[in-house]
Amino acid sequence: MAAAPDAPVVIVPGAKVAADGTPMAYLRGRLDVAIELVEAGKAEEILLSGDAGGSSGDEIASMTRYLLDHGIDPAIVRSDRAGLSTRETCERAKSLFGIDRAIIVSQYQHLPRAVALCRAAGIEADGVVAYCECRRVTEVRNNVREWLAAPKAVAEMLLRR
């Protein structure tokens, strides 16, 4: 964490939660890094962004519970219950929460796209790679997902110019 930049806020995009409401490996990795960034004094707040009512479960409730269970002060946690995509997460962070500078935390496959989308939304963003104690099939699936999502993100950014 020593090499991580400082920013007022850490943005944590949502991901699938288990049937019992706990964060699965991808999401746990993002939350653990956000906790470390706050504890290291690299950020003062955490913005959780995800789907509060989708098929993957209530990502916001799961993330919030995890952070509080790990000693994070609820006063520094903000939530966007309608961050349904990375693009929406970044745009809403700027428009609804007034975030101009942030660290976004995600796994290595997703991080370049997440940083680019935040910057396109007007946020001076840096990325920090999240952990993933994931099964091989999870990593393969998420690599394929990023290969498919990246061109769409590039097209969206070019069309907005």
Side-chain angles (χ1 to χ4, degrees):
M1 279 311 119
D6 292 348
V9 64
V10 177
I11 300 172
V12 182
K16 191 173 182 178
V17 299
D20 67 358
T22 59
M24 293 186 74
Y26 243 55
L27 189 50
R28 247 188 345 268
R30 294 174 184 181
L31 294 166
D32 287 341
V33 170
I35 291 166
E36 289 179 20
L37 289 166
V38 167
E39 289 176 345
K42 298 291 184 173
E44 299 165 5
E45 290 185 312
I46 299 173
L47 174 62
L48 304 175
S49 183
D51 190 349
S55 61
S56 71
D58 187 339
E59 297 170 359
I60 298 300
S62 177
M63 291 191 284
T64 301
R65 195 167 38 253
Y66 188 88
L67 291 176
L68 301 184
D69 288 349
H70 286 81
I72 294 296
D73 178 356
I76 70 162
V77 178
R78 295 193 284 170
S79 300
D80 176 5
R81 302 178 62 80
L84 306 180
S85 69
T86 306
R87 180 184 55 79
E88 289 173 322
T89 290
C90 295
E91 289 174 355
R92 291 170 62 85
K94 177 69 174 178
S95 66
L96 295 178
F97 295 91
I99 294 173
D100 295 315
R101 170 103 183 91
I103 299 168
I104 189 160
V105 176
S106 193
Q107 281 70 23
Y108 72 93
Q109 305 96 324
H110 178 240
L111 198 57
R113 181 168 63 95
V115 169
L117 287 167
C118 278
R119 289 179 180 169
I123 298 171
E124 185 183 332
D126 289 298
V128 174
V129 176
Y131 309 120
C132 187
E133 295 176 11
C134 302
R135 298 176 306 158
R136 183 79 175 136
V137 68
T138 301
E139 289 208 31
V140 169
R141 183 179 61 243
N142 284 295
N143 276 319
V144 170
R145 182 176 185 271
E146 281 307 308
W147 293 335
L148 297 172
K152 178 183 173 192
V154 170
E156 288 173 347
M157 286 185 281
L158 290 174
L159 290 174
R160 290 172 188 262
R161 289 186 169 200

